[in-house]
Amino acid sequence: MLTELHAVPGNPGIGEHATLHPKVSGRDIDAITALATKLEVDLVVVGPEAPLVDGLSNRLKKHGIACCGPSAAGARIEGSKVYAKELMDRAQVPTARWEAFSDVQAALAAINRWRGPCVIKADGCTGGRGVFVCMTKVQAEKALHALLVDAQFGVSGRRIVVEEYLQGIEASITVLTDGTNVVPLHVVRSEKRRDLNDQGPNTDGMGAWLPVEELYEQQVEEAIEAGIKPALADYRERGMDYVGVLYADVMFTKTGPKVLEYNCRFGEIEVQSMVRAMDEDLLDLLHRTATENLEGVTIAEPTIASAVVALVDASYPKLERTEATAAIAGLADAAEMDDVEVFLGNVEATGKGKAKGVGSNGGRVLTVTATGATVEEAAALAQEAAALITFDGKHSRSDIAAAAGIFA
Ligand code: AMP
């Protein structure tokens, strides 16, 4: 049972439920460990991948603090695409054909040899933005240039993976694992491209929904057996425990499921979609995960649908922030609607007293979630609520869940 909640560094959204520690950076492992020790917390749940890659989980465990999130070795599955691909090959996980490069000419030669569309990915952490789906040679050349010559993602893009472009139904499969037991959570689908009709650059997500009626149960089971369990077995075989969340982006192709990538934490919009349709107590699940107590735990099938619409700013998904803080209006109106919940993302508190408000800090600013009897209903309600919220440079997709066939 939750008695006290603290957030590092937190924002005005979680600030409604938690004590915030804005002076502690989310990247400062020493400071986070010191704070957790001082507060004598029972559990630390790590949201983003970067502190896990840096070894936050190892450090907390050393201090006897339970942590839901894998060790630095575990987090490499997300921290390096090359590492993940090598693991997939070793564990015989089905994935797209690939090669790694750090030289433009060598990468170009391979792309010419392969022919057809390809996907170019920065090796390191890029917050979901270092992936370029290239349908033409010109696009591939541009992506190679951005990564290897212009170093748009710094050291994260110094090495790249070039892989075969796959077609099919893409879905996110997330499991909780305590190192021994694997508990699959709800399957979610999401929209990755920034613009309407799947146009524009890849993002870390413009919207999500569940349930995923486009897939048979058997296909999902196959993806867990072929795509998730062998990766976890590989960790075990090499003497490393993987404890926490493992979330795989899977392409369900004509020849079966293929893993596009692994993440060592929840996807933001994916988990928002899940929690809106989940009856189980998420805190209890995360605590059981961290304390190796998941035996016998199962998650009931969702009985309602949920949808998420992300509101981003004009420069998204560029990393640099171009706009000044923009006041956000209409939050209270949206939050008042039945079956709607708004999650604040990249925002900051503005003003004081009666002028107190929330301002957009660029990027993915907030997400509007809604539930309904069907995906269509949930998506329509989320769009209705999203329309009430305004800020300078606001951008969103009006066709979230189109791939579920709801606009047919
Ligand atoms: P990733 O971060 O590797 O999951 O890539 C981000 C997004 O790019 C995915 O969610 C897909 O929509 C797309 N993508 C990545 N790899 C491929 C691939 N091999 N074929 C087609 N689309 C891909």
Side-chain angles (χ1 to χ4, degrees):
M1 199 184 67
L2 182 68
T3 50
E4 240 180 85
L5 186 65
H6 294 264
V8 171
N11 76 1
I14 199 167
E16 287 186 13
H17 311 279
T19 306
L20 302 185
H21 298 273
K23 291 206 178 104
V24 179
S25 153
R27 289 300 295 267
D28 190 341
I29 289 180
D30 293 333
I32 296 169
T33 308
L35 180 68
T37 308
K38 191 175 111 196
L39 295 171
E40 294 180 30
V41 299
D42 298 310
L43 174 68
V44 175
V45 180
V46 186
E49 65 281 14
L52 291 170
V53 171
D54 292 346
L56 176 57
S57 179
N58 308 58
R59 188 70 66 84
L60 288 166
K61 278 185 194 150
K62 224 179 188 175
H63 285 75
I65 300 165
C67 174
C68 186
S71 63
R76 270 194 91 190
I77 203 164
E78 174 165 3
S80 164
K81 301 255 187 212
V82 175
Y83 179 84
K85 282 291 201 180
E86 284 171 351
L87 185 152
M88 285 191 249
D89 285 353
R90 203 167 49 233
Q92 295 184 341
V93 169
T95 185
R97 188 162 64 106
W98 68 285
E99 261 183 80
F101 299 96
S102 38
D103 174 72
V104 183
Q105 292 313 322
L108 262 180
I111 288 166
N112 281 328
R113 233 181 12 250
W114 282 18
R115 300 225 177 89
C118 67
V119 183
I120 299 177
K121 303 179 175 184
D123 177 44
C125 287
T126 60
R129 295 171 178 113
V131 174
F132 300 84
V133 177
C134 305
M135 303 311 286
T136 65
K137 216 176 118 182
V138 173
Q139 286 173 343
E141 281 167 1
K142 264 195 188 159
L144 288 178
H145 217 270
L147 289 165
L148 294 175
V149 181
D150 294 345
Q152 262 182 26
F153 295 95
V155 286
S156 291
R158 215 176 264 163
R159 196 156 60 144
I160 59 159
V161 167
V162 176
E163 67 179 46
E164 169 196 12
Y165 171 75
L166 299 173
Q167 277 175 296
I169 295 178
E170 186 183 341
S172 305
I173 307 225
T174 307
V175 303
L176 294 174
T177 177
D178 56 7
T180 310
N181 304 287
V182 175
V183 178
L185 304 178
H186 300 333
V187 179
V188 183
R189 289 195 71 191
S190 60
E191 309 281 9
K192 300 277 183 187
R193 296 297 192 93
R194 187 188 60 196
D195 303 322
L196 208 58
N197 299 325
D198 268 343
Q199 301 298 307
N202 247 317
T203 70
D204 41 353
M206 293 298 295
W209 74 89
L210 70 79
V212 180
E213 286 171 354
E214 307 84 285
L215 293 172
Y216 292 105
E217 224 174 279
Q218 224 178 337
Q219 288 176 285
V220 174
E221 271 164 27
E222 190 189 345
I224 293 168
E225 292 303 321
I228 300 260
K229 290 190 179 168
L232 293 171
D234 184 77
Y235 271 105
R236 266 196 309 276
E237 275 159 26
R238 293 186 310 130
M240 295 184 278
D241 277 339
Y242 188 106
V243 173
V245 176
L246 182 62
Y247 136 44
D249 255 334
V250 178
M251 190 70 90
F252 289 85
T253 71
K254 276 189 190 146
T255 54
K258 295 194 175 169
V259 173
L260 298 182
E261 70 154 357
Y262 292 112
N263 296 283
C264 61
R265 36 88 208 171
F266 284 120
E268 257 171 49
I269 58 172
E270 288 80 3
V271 73
Q272 288 168 6
S273 186
M274 278 180 222
V275 293
R276 291 302 317 277
M278 196 188 258
D279 286 331
E280 290 79 7
D281 178 352
L282 184 64
L283 177 66
D284 180 54
L285 289 171
L286 299 177
H287 189 252
R288 280 171 177 272
T289 303
T291 53
E292 298 177 23
N293 190 18
L294 279 178
E295 197 170 344
V297 174
T298 52
I299 306 292
E301 283 298 308
T303 52
I304 53 168
S306 72
V308 181
V309 174
L311 303 190
V312 303
D313 93 328
S315 56
Y316 185 74
K318 285 215 176 80
L319 286 176
E320 65 271 19
R321 182 177 152 199
T322 49
E323 275 81 32
T325 306
I328 304 173
L331 280 174
D333 296 333
E336 256 175 31
M337 287 173 66
D338 285 345
D339 302 327
V340 169
E341 201 167 324
V342 177
F343 291 92
L344 298 182
N346 207 9
V347 301
E348 64 180 39
T350 54
K352 287 210 167 84
K354 275 195 180 153
K356 228 168 129 183
V358 172
S360 148
N361 256 345
R364 196 158 57 183
V365 178
L366 57 90
T367 45
V368 181
T369 69
T371 53
T374 62
V375 170
E376 188 172 5
E377 259 183 49
L381 187 60
Q383 294 290 1
E384 202 184 313
L388 299 175
I389 301 172
T390 54
F391 54 88
D392 274 355
K394 172 186 158 186
H395 171 79
S396 65
R397 273 183 65 167
S398 57
D399 61 346
I400 299 304
I406 64 168
F407 296 120

